[in-house]
Structure formats: C-alpha cells, structure tokens
Amino acid sequence: MNKDYYEILGIQKTASEAEIKRAYRKLAHQFHPDKSGGDEKKFKEVSEAYQVLSDPEKRKQYDQFGHTFDYQSTAGGQGQGFGFGGFDYSGFGGQGVEFDFSNLGDIFDVFFGGERTREARGRDIERRIEINFEEAVKGASLPIELEKNIVCPRCKGNKAEPGTEKVTCPECKGAGKKETIRTTILGQFKSIATCEKCKGEGTIPKVNCHECGGAGISRQKVTLDVVIPAGIREGMTIRVPGGGEAIESGKSGDLYLEINIKSHPQFYRKEDDIYLDIEINFAQAALGDKINVPIIGGTRQINIPAGIQSGNEIRLRGLGFPRLNHFGSGDEIIKIKVITPKRLTREEKRLFEELRKLGE
Ligand SMILES: [Zn+2]
Ligand SMILES: [Zn+2]
C-alpha cells in the first residue's frame, strides 16, 4: 500500500503547483468513472494524490513524513509492529501523529498505516496535555499522573501470594481451556472455551496475593514520566506503549497523549520557525541600531541595519523549533515594524519639521 502520490500523478518531486494541476486534470479526465474506459479506483487514487499535493501544507507534511504516508486511514497496512522509535501517522494537519517511546533518543523513523495485531490487551488511555511554547521547542520530560490498573506490584501479576505456589487448575486440569459437548438431535457439538477459573493459564494460586486478591492487577495512582520530543507540533499524539490499563491476562494498553501547545505572549510559530514582532522607531530605522531581542531561553543582540523598512525580517538561523525526523532547526524570524509617533514633544516636532525642510 505504499502509494507514492508523485508516482500516481506521474510527476517529479519538484513539480510546481501548475504541473501538479495539469497532471491531475489529465489523469482525472482519463480515469473519470463516468467515461467509457474510466477507472473508479484509479480516479480515486489520482484525486487523493491531488488533494494532498495541491495543498502546500499537506504536501510539505507528506514530503516530510515520507512516501508510505497513508492518507485514508490507518487500516489495511503492512501490520508492522511499533517496536522501535516509530512514528505512526494516521491523519492530517498534525492530527493523530504518534510517537513511540520504546526506544527513546533514536531518530524517529516514519511509517504509516500499520495495523497492529490485536491480542488480549488492556484498554488504552487517552489524555490531552498542555505544554508551554518553550517545552515544545526544547522538549521536556513531564510527569503524567494517572489512576489506572497496573500489574500488581506485590505478586508482579503472578496472582499468588509471594512465597506460595501455584497449583494445577482443578477446573480445566491445567489445559487452560474447557471442552463442552452439547448433544442435540443433529449430533454432538464440541465447543472450546477459555477456562473461566484460571483465565486460560492452567494454574491457580494456592493462596491469593494479599494485595490484589488474586487478580494480578491493582488500581493505583501512578506517575509516568513522558518525554516530549523537541519540535513537537500542536495536536500531535505521543504513544507510550504499555502506559494504558493493565488486564489480568494479556498486555497492558497504551497511553496516548494529545499535545496542546500554549500560545506565547511574544513568540508565534509557523512550521518550524519562531516569529517575533519587534517595533522600532524612525531614528532606529533610519540610522540603524543594536537591540536585544528575546530568543528561547534568553536574549540575543541583533543589528538593525540603517535604512530598514517596516515589514523587513531579520533571521536568526537555527533558533527555531528542531525539525522532527530531520536534522537541524527552523529559524527565529524577527519582523520589523517601524512605528510612527502618535504624539510629539515640542522638541521632536521641531526636529521633524527641520527634516521636512531638508526633504523639500
Ligand atoms: Zn497481587
Ligand atoms: Zn482452568
């Protein structure tokens, strides 16, 4: 299912918007299902590719997150596991991006559309957390408090009181499952079900664990330290494998943390760049100046060149958000606004009038 949108449209990765449009028109025309010789499947593919590539924002994401991006859903993928620093993308616009934290610190690999094999596992827990702007830039380790079922710390999920044995389940004689034979007028029907008593384990504790009463799990308040990667974007979701609810027999569910980033009083974000509006006066604009501007975690002296115009930008390279899945960082971009004084002192007025005379 590795549909490459560029391939589908038969264009280069560097194709311009006009080229994308042209390719789409031609193919949409060719495959339109209402036409003889049309092909609905191909038509849909082409439309899907166009929807993504014609939108600069989506295209950028697609380019960034790789060609295995599955636009439609997470279903029907290759069924790969998420055993390494994965990055599971199931949506658009920054929605539904997951990080796998089983291998922290590695470069995040990207793949999409994988359907995980389902076995008995506990429920997932979803939480929305708010982080501040600086944390999104620098990354953070945040304590997440949850009340959830965890594997019983006393018996480690074994269900037996520590130091006591487990014995063969009398119900299933250790088989873990039970056969029931039903006799009907049509004959005998055999059905096999997991043994209720031992939950399929074949053994039961001689003495139940005093903490969990033999359930193997207990409900507790826990704090998980979750690492938020530097450069994370609004609406992304971090997946913490095993961070969800534990169950009696089977794996714990996962914890999904949807990230909301608080706005900053001065900075704002576009892609991986940080923007900052700075106001300067006429004299600074005309003569130039050295000023201090805030950067994440401090200040930086910048040079305002003489003759700068309102709307000009000064770029501080590498001081933006780290790029997820890429090396390097965005920039901090200072947008200059030259302020016209609204009220002048007598002296200022005199000076401006002199300037006017000079300009005449
Ligand atoms: Zn226990
Ligand atoms: Zn049993």
Side-chain angles (χ1 to χ4, degrees):
M1 277 246 323
N2 289 359
K3 284 183 284 180
D4 186 300
Y5 291 147
Y6 293 99
E7 256 170 52
I8 288 170
L9 292 181
I11 50 174
Q12 298 289 317
K13 282 225 151 67
T14 51
S16 68
E17 281 179 38
E19 284 170 320
I20 293 169
K21 200 169 206 170
R22 218 175 305 134
Y24 167 67
R25 283 220 181 117
K26 187 176 149 252
L27 293 169
H29 202 68
Q30 186 184 338
F31 294 126
H32 198 285
D34 289 349
K35 289 187 59 166
S36 67
D39 184 329
E40 192 177 343
K41 195 168 161 266
K42 283 240 171 80
F43 180 74
K44 278 186 178 158
E45 259 180 23
V46 165
S47 306
E48 181 186 314
Y50 179 67
Q51 264 186 55
V52 173
L53 298 184
S54 63
D55 181 326
E57 180 70 19
K58 289 177 185 169
R59 183 181 180 184
K60 207 168 163 185
Q61 283 196 4
Y62 175 71
D63 289 343
Q64 182 177 349
F65 295 130
H67 63 276
T68 54
F69 183 99
D70 182 3
Y71 168 67
Q72 284 177 323
S73 70
T74 54
Q78 306 85 327
Q80 259 150 346
F82 287 78
F84 56 94
F87 198 156
D88 174 12
Y89 199 94
S90 52
F92 258 160
Q95 299 293 317
V97 177
E98 306 171 5
F99 287 98
D100 189 316
F101 277 80
S102 49
N103 192 3
L104 279 177
D106 281 358
I107 297 164
F108 298 111
D109 277 288
V110 181
F111 52 92
F112 311 110
E115 198 178 16
R116 272 154 276 166
T117 34
R118 294 275 162 182
E119 50 194 286
R121 57 192 288 278
R123 271 193 310 113
D124 294 332
I125 297 176
E126 287 167 27
R127 282 278 185 291
R128 183 173 290 182
I129 59 167
E130 220 177 34
I131 61 171
N132 59 42
F133 198 87
E134 285 88 348
E135 286 169 331
V137 181
K138 297 194 146 181
S141 174
L142 296 183
I144 308 294
E145 282 178 23
L146 299 167
E147 193 185 325
K148 64 174 194 127
N149 291 329
I150 60 165
V151 173
C152 171
R154 186 175 175 86
C155 65
K156 311 269 187 295
N158 179 45
K159 301 174 184 179
E161 175 64 13
T164 68
E165 287 172 21
K166 289 180 92 173
V167 293
T168 304
C169 173
E171 198 73 29
C172 62
K173 312 277 186 286
K177 41 188 182 267
K178 276 183 74 179
E179 252 184 47
T180 347
I181 296 175
R182 223 154 32 98
T183 309
T184 72
I185 49 162
L186 297 171
Q188 286 192 328
F189 288 89
K190 196 164 77 173
S191 65
I192 298 171
T194 303
C195 173
E196 276 291 305
K197 193 168 177 71
C198 65
K199 301 280 188 298
E201 286 174 27
T203 56
I204 55 166
K206 214 172 191 175
V207 182
N208 281 342
C209 166
H210 295 337
E211 170 123 10
C212 63
I217 52 173
S218 73
R219 189 143 195 99
Q220 295 198 5
K221 280 205 173 100
V222 293
T223 305
L224 298 178
D225 284 314
V226 176
V227 174
I228 312 292
I232 193 148
R233 294 187 180 187
E234 174 69 21
M236 282 182 166
T237 302
I238 291 173
R239 184 168 80 99
V240 184
E245 302 281 359
I247 52 169
E248 266 192 53
S249 302
K251 275 172 65 179
S252 293
D254 298 333
L255 170 65
Y256 289 88
L257 294 172
E258 189 192 317
I259 305 296
N260 292 133
I261 303 170
K262 280 187 230 168
S263 59
H264 190 277
Q266 287 172 294
F267 299 124
Y268 52 101
R269 179 181 195 163
K270 281 183 194 164
E271 303 293 327
D272 290 326
D273 293 327
I274 294 173
Y275 279 77
L276 176 69
D277 295 332
I278 288 287
E279 296 183 345
I280 59 171
N281 61 36
F282 276 172
Q284 287 174 300
L287 304 171
D289 200 2
K290 277 191 167 59
I291 60 167
N292 284 317
V293 294
I295 58 171
I296 294 295
T299 58
R300 176 69 59 95
Q301 194 180 65
I302 61 163
N303 214 13
I304 307 266
I308 199 164
Q309 304 293 317
S310 207
N312 281 169
E313 293 175 351
I314 295 172
R315 190 175 283 264
L316 304 179
R317 298 224 172 260
L319 292 184
F321 286 86
R323 297 190 203 285
L324 288 170
N325 269 311
H326 281 255
F327 296 107
S329 297
D331 303 326
E332 176 170 326
I333 296 165
I334 294 145
K335 292 196 83 160
I336 297 294
K337 194 173 171 195
V338 180
I339 297 297
T340 310
K342 285 194 176 133
R343 205 169 284 155
L344 296 172
T345 62
R346 194 173 298 166
E347 176 66 1
E348 284 167 339
K349 201 169 175 194
R350 193 184 61 77
L351 289 167
F352 272 113
E353 270 163 4
E354 265 183 47
L355 273 176
R356 180 161 63 187
K357 274 184 219 148
L358 277 173
E360 276 166 1

